[in-house]
Amino acid sequence: MTGFLTLLYKELLRFWKVVFQTVAAPILTALLYLLIFSHVLEDRVQVYPRVSYSAFLIPGLAMMSLLQNAFANSSSSLIQSKITGNIVFVLLSPVSHFEFFLAYVAAAAVRGVIVGTGVLLATAAFISLPIHNLLWILLFAVLGSAILGVLGIVAGIWADKFDQLAAFQNFAIVPMTFLSGVFYSIHSLPPFWQQISHLNPFFYMIDGFRYGFFGVSDVSPLLSLGIVAGALLALSFATLSLIRRGYKLRA
Amino acid sequence: MNPAIEIRGLTKRFGALTALTDVDLEIPQGEFFALLGPNGAGKTTLISILAGLARADVGSARIMGHDVVSHYRQARAALGVVPQELVFDPFFTVRETLRIQSGYFGLRNNDRWIEEILARLDLTAKADSNMRALSGGMKRRVLVGQALVHRPPVIILDEPTAGVDVELRQTLWEFIRQLNADGHTIVLTTHYLEEAETLCQRVGMLKQGRLVALDSTRELLMRFSGVRLRLRLSDGELPEALKPLVTSASPAGEWLLGLRDHAQVEDVLAQIRRSGRHVVAMEVTEADLEEVFVAIMQGN
């Protein structure tokens, strides 16, 4: 337990020491998105009845920032440790496979949730959001950031150089978050693209999260919860087996 | 009592390259052991397998009786490794680094021992400096400290004095000697053979992944070397009967003879007297581990 707590503490301290880069910057980016998109679209788009476009956008932006930062935390920490070689300090220790996994996921989730909360708080100054059910909000925030934390572990272990990690981020994570309904409801899409969107697991994270605020969603929040929780379990299982085999970590 | 390290039939391949071939090695508790071999002989691979950083293809390894794969947590808790590469985490200070390392080993309140490590490695003044601000030698000391935070019964140092100044080398060896005197088993790889010769009770030599020599330091020195006799004679020529003993000759008329032992020196001098020559200059030296090493690596 102490091994896990120490690794978690180390991971938290790592991003907290560069908090401007790891927390403040993504919050500012989300505010810029809000400023621009709401300025352009506020009077032209209404996704749900009685919900302004800006209000619709905010949970999406918060979730997008949360997901991207959770991924960035575990992936960048692992690849930095691998490239500088200091990953050896953990590998030499009796920290178990599961503790190792859990510490990286938990630290990623903490950073994700802090950034997501930061976006919500920062935007609260401009637009007040309803809260339909806080439990759904928290549930999807934690599950979503955990999934991306796990994906970050996979990417961080797999990538041998920063370039490969950036490719994973730019060609997989970013498109999947952008196309998951952050900026629009998938009901506004042609039927074909609606079907495609249903294959994107990120869509369920954002849709479920948004349900917590408005009590309205594109699909049932229970379905979203099932898919998101199932994805987390399956990914965790696969990732733990990678760690247990020592894939790219132990020769 | 379990051996500190027990290696059975260890083979490790990296693709087409066989890094270790069927290595057997047992190191009893309390020993100060040197693992020697040229670059690429497999020393670091062997250490990596013991530390769990690499996995053997065939064979097994145990630390204090714990298998390094099936009981990896107990095995790692019993082992402290100073890696060869100068690695550090640039986010933390020296003290944070040691506290975090303690935590990985399940130790919460370890500050008293950490302070002692800092003092013994002459790092107290740098305890709150960021790792980035440290010189290479200082970073090396922190690596040693990190390997010791959990007071492991077995300590492996992979070339701990590479690129370290003389003063630190001495402080470091003093500390390591003390740890050995306190009962810790020490395994050392080094390129400075005189260090192995003065510190270690037993030596193992690896060549192309095979353990080609394993004996006490004293036995190895006796078995492989004996005595060197350097001579200059009155007319520069050596009696015919002594020529088979010559290992090298210099154009300046200096002869180097390899002898079994000190007693043979007397025979040599007698031969010289009988031939009517006399000795102008003479030096008797005992061979060192370096010569043994070279002899073994050349396959003699």
Side-chain angles (χ1 to χ4, degrees):
Chain A
M1 191 63 182
T2 305
F4 160 72
L5 290 174
T6 306
L7 188 52
L8 174 61
Y9 167 77
K10 185 216 111 183
E11 281 300 295
L12 295 176
L13 203 58
R14 195 194 68 91
F15 82 76
W16 201 247
K17 285 197 173 194
V18 284
V19 69
F20 269 97
Q21 182 199 331
T22 54
V23 176
I27 292 174
L28 178 66
T29 307
L31 283 178
L32 291 172
Y33 274 120
L34 179 70
L35 187 72
I36 292 163
F37 279 87
S38 61
H39 170 72
V40 176
L41 298 172
E42 178 66 34
D43 303 324
R44 299 172 203 213
V45 180
Q46 184 158 36
V47 184
Y48 298 137
R50 290 185 303 282
V51 176
S52 73
Y53 178 72
S54 303
F56 170 85
L57 185 58
I58 289 169
L61 284 175
M63 193 59 161
M64 183 177 84
S65 311
L66 173 151
L67 298 176
Q68 289 180 351
N69 281 278
F71 177 83
N73 203 66
S74 49
S75 63
S76 64
S77 173
L78 274 166
I79 195 156
Q80 277 176 15
S81 293
K82 271 171 48 177
I83 286 176
T84 59
N86 64 46
I87 187 95
V88 77
F89 300 137
V90 188
L91 298 181
L92 286 172
S93 81
V95 166
S96 73
H97 310 308
F98 188 64
E99 286 177 319
F100 179 92
F101 169 81
L102 207 60
Y104 277 96
V105 175
V110 169
R111 172 158 154 206
V113 170
I114 288 177
V115 171
T117 309
V119 172
L120 290 175
L121 290 177
T123 52
F126 310 106
I127 295 145
S128 75
L129 276 186
I131 292 182
H132 171 70
N133 187 331
L134 188 62
L135 192 66
W136 283 107
I137 296 173
L138 287 175
L139 204 55
F140 279 96
V142 170
L143 290 175
S145 56
I147 287 185
L148 271 288
V150 177
L151 281 174
I153 294 180
V154 175
I157 290 179
W158 165 77
D160 296 316
K161 37 190 184 178
F162 286 105
D163 186 44
Q164 291 172 326
L165 183 62
F168 198 103
Q169 191 154 18
N170 293 324
F171 291 93
I173 304 295
V174 171
M176 293 222 289
T177 42
F178 268 62
L179 300 176
S180 61
V182 170
F183 301 102
Y184 51 83
S185 158
I186 63 159
H187 283 146
S188 62
L189 297 174
F192 173 75
W193 290 107
Q194 278 193 36
Q195 291 300 316
I196 295 287
S197 294
H198 278 116
L199 298 176
N200 181 355
F202 289 49
F203 158 72
Y204 300 95
M205 299 178 206
I206 290 183
D207 200 53
F209 187 66
R210 204 173 256 141
Y211 174 83
F213 291 90
F214 306 118
V216 199
S217 53
D218 286 353
V219 300
S220 150
L222 275 174
L223 174 67
S224 295
L225 181 64
I227 288 175
V228 170
L232 177 59
L233 272 179
L235 270 173
S236 299
F237 192 74
T239 307
L240 265 168
S241 119
L242 280 188
I243 296 172
R244 197 170 290 123
R245 281 192 283 127
Y247 173 73
K248 288 215 175 180
L249 289 177
R250 300 178 194 271
Chain B
M1 194 161 69
N2 284 315
I5 292 175
E6 192 182 358
I7 293 169
R8 295 267 170 268
L10 215 59
T11 295
K12 174 71 181 173
R13 294 180 203 92
F14 293 104
L17 175 87
T18 305
L20 292 172
T21 307
D22 197 23
V23 173
D24 287 297
L25 177 61
E26 195 172 303
I27 299 175
Q29 289 185 33
E31 194 166 72
F32 207 135
F33 184 89
L35 188 62
L36 306 179
N39 288 328
K43 303 185 297 290
T44 299
T45 303
L46 189 67
I47 291 173
S48 297
I49 291 173
L50 291 172
L53 298 176
R55 290 187 187 175
D57 294 305
V58 184
S60 67
R62 290 166 185 273
I63 309 285
M64 302 294 282
H66 306 293
D67 187 276
V68 298
V69 177
S70 63
H71 292 84
Y72 71 97
R73 303 191 71 177
Q74 292 92 326
R76 284 180 207 161
L79 181 65
V81 177
V82 182
Q84 191 180 129
E85 299 285 332
L86 208 55
V87 291
F88 62 98
D89 196 325
F91 283 91
F92 304 113
T93 67
V94 173
R95 188 178 274 116
E96 280 171 341
T97 298
L98 294 177
R99 281 191 180 150
I100 288 170
Q101 201 62 26
S102 300
Y104 292 161
F105 282 86
L107 305 168
R108 273 164 178 277
N109 305 307
N110 200 25
D111 280 359
R112 190 182 287 187
W113 175 235
I114 287 176
E115 291 310 319
E116 190 177 336
I117 290 177
L118 288 170
R120 296 284 281 274
L121 292 167
D122 212 1
L123 282 168
T124 308
K126 296 283 179 188
D128 296 308
S129 303
N130 186 284
M131 288 298 299
R132 270 176 305 200
L134 266 51
S135 68
M138 295 269 187
K139 288 187 184 118
R140 176 76 63 189
R141 292 184 223 186
V142 178
L143 278 179
V144 175
Q146 282 177 273
L148 300 177
V149 285
H150 56 299
R151 301 174 192 253
V154 185
I155 301 163
I156 299 181
L157 304 108
D158 196 358
E159 298 193 22
T161 49
V164 160
D165 63 53
V166 178
E167 199 184 341
L168 168 60
R169 240 196 262 176
Q170 280 166 356
T171 357
L172 185 60
W173 289 133
E174 201 182 311
F175 188 20
I176 302 289
R177 246 194 248 260
Q178 182 60 49
L179 289 165
N180 182 238
D182 294 344
H184 296 262
T185 308
I186 314 284
V187 177
L188 165 75
T189 80
T190 178
H191 276 148
Y192 302 103
L193 294 176
E194 71 276 11
E195 285 180 349
E197 191 176 327
T198 46
L199 292 162
C200 299
Q201 293 141 9
R202 222 156 52 106
V203 172
M205 292 193 190
L206 278 171
K207 180 185 173 184
Q208 291 168 355
R210 289 173 192 276
L211 196 63
V212 288
L214 177 65
D215 215 328
S216 73
T217 315
R218 173 194 285 268
E219 279 296 320
L220 272 178
L221 287 171
M222 299 231 300
R223 179 142 54 94
F224 279 91
S225 50
V227 171
R228 297 271 176 280
L229 180 62
R230 194 183 297 277
L231 281 175
R232 206 162 49 209
L233 302 180
S234 49
D235 70 348
E237 257 311 303
L238 201 64
E240 250 347 276
L242 294 179
K243 293 255 163 98
L245 297 176
V246 173
T247 54
S248 71
S250 80
E254 221 178 56
W255 301 91
L256 187 66
L257 310 184
L259 310 183
R260 273 193 320 279
D261 49 31
H262 283 95
Q264 212 186 346
V265 175
E266 183 49 44
D267 299 341
V268 171
L269 294 179
Q271 296 258 17
I272 293 169
R273 266 198 305 279
R274 274 202 294 278
S275 73
R277 298 174 176 93
H278 65 269
V279 174
V280 176
M282 182 177 93
E283 186 189 16
V284 181
T285 53
E286 285 183 43
D288 55 21
L289 202 52
E290 194 159 324
E291 287 172 73
V292 179
F293 182 78
V294 170
I296 290 178
M297 291 308 146
Q298 284 170 350
N300 301 325

